[in-house]
């Protein structure tokens, strides 16, 4: 199982971090050990002093494929959820200054949260999907797929040019503006529209 992540897929988020809006999807990966398993507590990483949440819509790949065309890409995912790409922002900033890869900031154990899966429906293809993150009961991020720079199908097609897609792979499709710091004791809740798909406490 592979975890693909898309960076800077919402223009306002790219701007809030001082990044240019990309001309093609920015892809990075997390190992399977990054996925927080169900009923497993999430602990603040001891190597970071600035942990940030980034809420994202996550797709589940349901079909093996390579060089998938954009018009066929919708056949390769069957479920969606809301997740968090946790980022050690202090580590990332230091690595970026040196022009080094981001894995230590993005791909550590349990850095990827995924909520309960919801089957992807035809209605979801026809209208914008809204999702959000609450921190201690207050909404801190609100996303809408109509604000994505690259669509789900474009992302799936683009990734498949470079990597084989396999059943069970996951794609984190980018975070909207509003990323921020979280602390020990914070409670985070992820919503697809008004349906809560995950809740966790930072220990």
């Amino acid at each position: 199982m592979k975890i693909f992540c898309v960076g800077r897929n919402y223009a306002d988020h790219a701007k809030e971090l001082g990044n240019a809006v990309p001309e093609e999807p920015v892809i990075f990966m997390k190992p399977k050990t990054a996925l927080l398993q169900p009923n497993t507590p999430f602990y603040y990483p001891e190597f970071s002093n600035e942990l940030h949440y980034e809420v994202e819509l996550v797709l589940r790949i349901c079909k093996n494929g390579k060089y998938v065309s954009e018009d066929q890409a919708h056949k390769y995912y069957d479920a969606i959820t809301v997740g968090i790409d946790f980022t050690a922002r202090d580590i990332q900033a230091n690595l970026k200054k040196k022009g080094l890869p981001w894995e230590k900031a993005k791909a550590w154990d349990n850095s990827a949260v995924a909520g309960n899966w919801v089957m992807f429906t035809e209605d979801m293809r026809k209208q914008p999907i809204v999702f959000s993150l609450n921190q201690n009961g207050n909404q801190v991020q609100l996303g809408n797929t109509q604000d994505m720079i690259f669509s789900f199908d474009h992302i799936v097609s683009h990734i498949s040019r470079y990597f084989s897609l396999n059943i069970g792979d996951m794609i984190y499709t980018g975070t909207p503006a509003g990323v921020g710091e979280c602390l020990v004791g914070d409670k985070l809740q992820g919503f697809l529209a008004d349906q809560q798909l995950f809740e966790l406490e930072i220990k």
Side-chain angles (χ1 to χ4, degrees), residues 60-78:
R60 184 179 69 190
I61 297 299
C62 64
K63 185 177 179 181
N64 296 333
K66 178 73 172 173
Y67 296 110
V68 177
S69 64
E70 191 166 339
D71 66 333
Q72 295 296 307
H74 67 278
K75 298 178 181 179
Y76 286 79
Y77 55 93
D78 66 349

Side-chain angles (χ1 to χ4, degrees), residues 1-4 35-38 56-62 76-84 112-121 124 152 166-173 190-192 195-199:
M1 187 269 285
K2 303 183 292 296
I3 301 174
F4 299 100
L35 185 63
L36 182 70
Q37 296 300 314
E56 312 200 8
L57 290 173
V58 187
L59 302 178
R60 184 179 69 190
I61 297 299
C62 64
Y76 286 79
Y77 55 93
D78 66 349
I80 190 169
T81 191
V82 179
I84 296 179
V113 174
N116 298 323
W117 292 103
V118 174
M119 297 307 295
F120 207 97
T121 65
M124 291 179 179
F152 292 159
N166 296 119
I167 295 170
D169 288 349
M170 300 165 63
I171 302 177
Y172 283 65
T173 60
F191 295 86
L192 186 67
Q195 182 180 3
Q196 182 178 312
L197 297 186
F198 73 78
E199 180 174 11

Side-chain angles (χ1 to χ4, degrees), residues 173-184:
T173 60
T175 192
V179 301
E181 189 170 3
C182 40
L183 304 171
V184 172

Side-chain angles (χ1 to χ4, degrees), residues 28-39:
F28 62 95
M29 296 176 70
K30 293 176 182 263
K32 64 180 182 180
T33 51
L35 185 63
L36 182 70
Q37 296 300 314
N39 303 313

Side-chain angles (χ1 to χ4, degrees), residues 2 10 15 39 51 53 57 108 126 143 194 202-203:
K2 303 183 292 296
Y10 291 79
K15 292 173 184 175
N39 303 313
L51 179 67
Y53 54 76
L57 290 173
W108 35 276
K126 297 175 182 177
D194 58 358
I202 298 175
K203 297 183 179 295

Side-chain angles (χ1 to χ4, degrees), residues 35-198:
L35 185 63
L36 182 70
Q37 296 300 314
N39 303 313
T40 300
F42 178 84
Y43 293 99
Y44 197 110
E46 76 281 357
F47 49 79
S48 176
N49 293 310
E50 189 181 358
L51 179 67
H52 279 205
Y53 54 76
E54 297 187 10
V55 73
E56 312 200 8
L57 290 173
V58 187
L59 302 178
R60 184 179 69 190
I61 297 299
C62 64
K63 185 177 179 181
N64 296 333
K66 178 73 172 173
Y67 296 110
V68 177
S69 64
E70 191 166 339
D71 66 333
Q72 295 296 307
H74 67 278
K75 298 178 181 179
Y76 286 79
Y77 55 93
D78 66 349
I80 190 169
T81 191
V82 179
I84 296 179
D85 165 24
F86 275 115
T87 303
R89 193 71 71 196
D90 51 346
I91 303 293
Q92 185 188 39
N94 187 49
L95 292 169
K96 287 172 69 175
K97 285 179 183 177
K98 298 176 180 179
L100 297 174
W102 298 354
E103 276 80 1
K104 288 196 292 185
K106 285 278 193 180
W108 35 276
D109 289 358
N110 300 329
S111 60
V113 174
N116 298 323
W117 292 103
V118 174
M119 297 307 295
F120 207 97
T121 65
E122 282 303 312
D123 285 344
M124 291 179 179
R125 301 189 196 285
K126 297 175 182 177
Q127 58 191 18
I129 300 172
V130 175
F131 62 105
S132 60
L133 180 71
N134 283 5
Q135 180 183 36
N136 301 323
N138 299 311
Q139 187 180 92
V140 289
Q141 282 189 277
L142 177 64
N144 189 314
T145 52
Q146 67 182 0
D147 297 325
M148 295 173 73
I149 299 170
F150 305 107
S151 69
F152 292 159
D153 292 348
H154 184 90
I155 290 167
V156 170
S157 176
H158 181 82
I159 288 174
S160 75
R161 291 172 53 193
Y162 301 91
F163 309 95
S164 294
L165 297 175
N166 296 119
I167 295 170
D169 288 349
M170 300 165 63
I171 302 177
Y172 283 65
T173 60
T175 192
V179 301
E181 189 170 3
C182 40
L183 304 171
V184 172
D186 281 355
K187 293 182 180 179
L188 302 175
Q189 299 167 312
F191 295 86
L192 186 67
D194 58 358
Q195 182 180 3
Q196 182 178 312
L197 297 186
F198 73 78

